[in-house]
Amino acid sequence: MIETTATYFDGISSVAHPVTVMLNEADASLQFTTHTGKKEWRIALVTYHTVGNMTELHCQNSIMEILQVRDTAFVKELKRLRRRYGHSDIYHRLIDLGWKIHCLIAVGIIALIIVCNIFVLPWMAEKTVNMLPESYDNRLGDMYIMKYISPEEVDSVKTVQLQQFAALMNFGNSRPLRFTLVNSSVVNAYALPNGEIVVYSGLLDAMDSYEELAGVLAHEAMHVNHRHSMKMLARDLSGYLFLSAVLSDVNGIMGVISQNVHTLSSLTYSREFETEADRGAVELLITNHIDPNGMTKLLLHLQKESSGFMPQILSTHPLTAHRITKVEELKKELSYQPKEQPWMKKIFETLKK
């Protein structure tokens, strides 16, 4: 049995009463005598709160009564006895760990939050795209075209020619693809979620062969087939989409994405998505008996041109030596026998005029 001195408050008056408290290990209780008689608090019913070197003890049977103990050794033994009999809850265990452990836990929680924001939340947001029917892709793409592509910018004659060029290819697409040529010096091309593939005349001017144009269209078609723009938009908006995804609020997800439809033409795809699109494009070119070297030539040509300026297509479709190497490795893996495509060549030459 261990004993110490303490200050007792009966909860009725503010008078402090000095008492001697005994810790009875045999029957797991605190025993003391006050001005009103003997008291016994079962350890299982005792809660405590420590501030500095003073610990306040309460009993669940008489919550208004307080014992104030300043004997740290006595309090330590009380805690040990509570753990021994399985009466120490998680809250008090955490409180008893000390400030050093608390700091480590805080650092761990902050690190976990950072990891979740960088990796987990974007991944979860990307998966929410599977909750959205493809009709939503069409709605977003149509919204973008109405707001950001004016009829005056579209070269209607060359758009028809571009569509004729694309009609000679099998894109393996699950939804209709539409092709639009926009008069602009911007060196860029991008795919919208609704299957609209926009090519700027500035990019067309940078090409030397129809195989390069076929490579661009095949690459953008892969972005459409795999819903990459929707997934990247979801990743970029992951913080906003997380709560909607948890609540399975499809309308909320769609509302957030719709508010950011203007970013569709400037999304920067991840290396994973670019690799997937490049691989699909090379395989598609081979299936159509088009020389996949055209795609490599375009990438190398754009990379060379970027030494003086940065074409927009390189900022939205990050071009790296790694990506070019991957395309070259893929061509070595696959066997192909390209055939001359006179109709594609003729249409390409007409587009270049």
Side-chain angles (χ1 to χ4, degrees):
M1 188 174 293
I2 304 172
E3 67 177 49
T4 190
T5 57
T7 303
Y8 170 76
F9 294 89
D10 59 13
I12 299 174
S13 68
S14 59
V15 179
H17 302 277
V19 296
T20 299
V21 182
M22 291 177 289
L23 177 59
N24 191 331
E25 187 170 352
D27 61 2
S29 66
L30 290 175
Q31 299 170 357
F32 54 98
T33 301
T34 72
H35 60 291
T36 59
K38 292 184 178 181
K39 299 280 186 178
E40 182 177 274
W41 289 0
R42 307 300 301 176
I43 296 248
L45 302 177
V46 171
T47 60
Y48 60 87
H49 174 68
T50 301
V51 178
N53 64 345
M54 191 272 290
T55 300
E56 282 193 356
L57 305 178
H58 300 264
C59 183
Q60 295 178 21
N61 286 343
S62 50
I63 194 65
M64 299 300 293
E65 298 177 67
I66 301 173
L67 276 177
Q68 291 183 346
V69 180
R70 297 182 181 275
D71 186 340
T72 56
F74 181 88
V75 173
K76 184 177 180 180
E77 189 63 22
L78 172 63
K79 294 176 181 179
R80 184 194 66 80
L81 192 59
R82 283 173 54 82
R83 288 193 298 270
R84 175 181 170 184
Y85 286 98
H87 302 316
S88 182
D89 55 34
I90 294 177
Y91 169 78
H92 285 102
R93 289 181 185 179
L94 289 174
I95 293 298
D96 295 338
L97 288 176
W99 69 270
K100 291 182 179 180
I101 301 298
H102 292 167
C103 289
L104 288 176
I105 292 174
V107 170
I109 292 174
I110 293 172
L112 182 61
I113 292 173
I114 293 174
V115 168
C116 285
N117 275 284
I118 295 176
F119 298 106
V120 180
L121 287 185
W123 177 82
M124 290 182 65
E126 180 188 325
K127 295 303 178 184
T128 62
V129 172
N130 297 328
M131 298 169 55
L132 300 175
E134 291 190 356
S135 59
Y136 282 30
D137 299 39
N138 297 334
R139 176 181 164 188
L140 280 179
D142 293 343
M143 286 173 59
Y144 181 89
I145 293 171
M146 291 176 61
K147 288 185 178 181
Y148 302 104
I149 298 181
S150 66
E152 293 78 15
E153 294 177 314
V154 176
D155 188 322
S156 57
V157 174
K158 289 193 174 183
T159 291
V160 172
Q161 294 168 351
L162 182 63
Q163 291 170 349
Q164 292 172 343
F165 182 96
L168 298 174
M169 298 177 63
N170 177 9
F171 293 98
N173 48 300
S174 58
R175 71 177 66 194
L177 298 177
R178 300 188 300 273
F179 302 85
T180 300
L181 195 137
V182 172
N183 277 322
S184 172
S185 60
V186 174
V187 182
N188 196 22
Y190 57 87
L192 296 173
N194 62 345
E196 186 82 32
I197 294 176
V198 180
V199 179
Y200 287 90
S201 58
L203 178 60
L204 183 63
D205 293 340
M207 297 178 185
D208 297 323
S209 65
Y210 72 88
E211 292 93 344
E212 296 176 48
L213 177 57
V216 169
L217 299 186
H219 181 88
E220 297 302 333
M222 290 302 104
H223 283 316
V224 174
N225 291 351
H226 295 291
R227 303 181 79 183
H228 284 168
S229 56
M230 290 290 286
K231 291 176 180 178
M232 283 308 303
L233 192 55
R235 281 189 179 187
D236 291 349
L237 301 173
S238 57
Y240 299 99
L241 296 179
F242 177 68
L243 184 58
S244 295
V246 170
L247 299 176
S248 297
D249 182 7
V250 176
N251 290 329
I253 294 172
M254 190 58 189
V256 173
I257 292 178
S258 296
Q259 292 172 11
N260 292 269
V261 69
H262 63 281
T263 64
L264 284 173
S265 64
S266 58
L267 289 173
T268 301
Y269 292 112
S270 66
R271 174 178 288 188
E272 171 194 353
F273 288 168
E274 285 299 339
T275 299
E276 187 175 31
D278 283 341
R279 182 178 186 89
V282 171
E283 292 174 345
L284 192 150
L285 292 175
I286 292 173
T287 300
N288 285 271
H289 303 291
I290 300 172
D291 190 349
N293 288 313
M295 185 170 178
T296 305
K297 285 193 295 183
L298 176 65
L299 295 177
L300 291 171
H301 180 67
L302 290 173
Q303 188 180 50
K304 182 180 178 180
E305 291 293 326
S306 68
S307 59
F309 70 101
M310 177 61 75
Q312 188 171 338
I313 194 172
L314 300 192
S315 62
T316 57
H317 297 63
L319 185 60
T320 64
H322 170 83
R323 184 178 165 196
I324 298 174
T325 300
K326 283 293 183 182
V327 170
E328 288 298 298
E329 291 175 352
L330 180 59
K331 289 192 301 182
K332 292 177 182 178
E333 292 176 13
L334 303 173
S335 59
Y336 55 92
Q337 295 180 331
K339 298 178 181 179
E340 186 67 25
Q341 306 288 335
W343 280 106
M344 296 184 78
K345 183 177 181 180
K346 182 177 181 180
I347 295 173
F348 176 77
E349 291 172 350
T350 303
L351 282 166
K352 290 283 288 184
K353 291 181 181 178

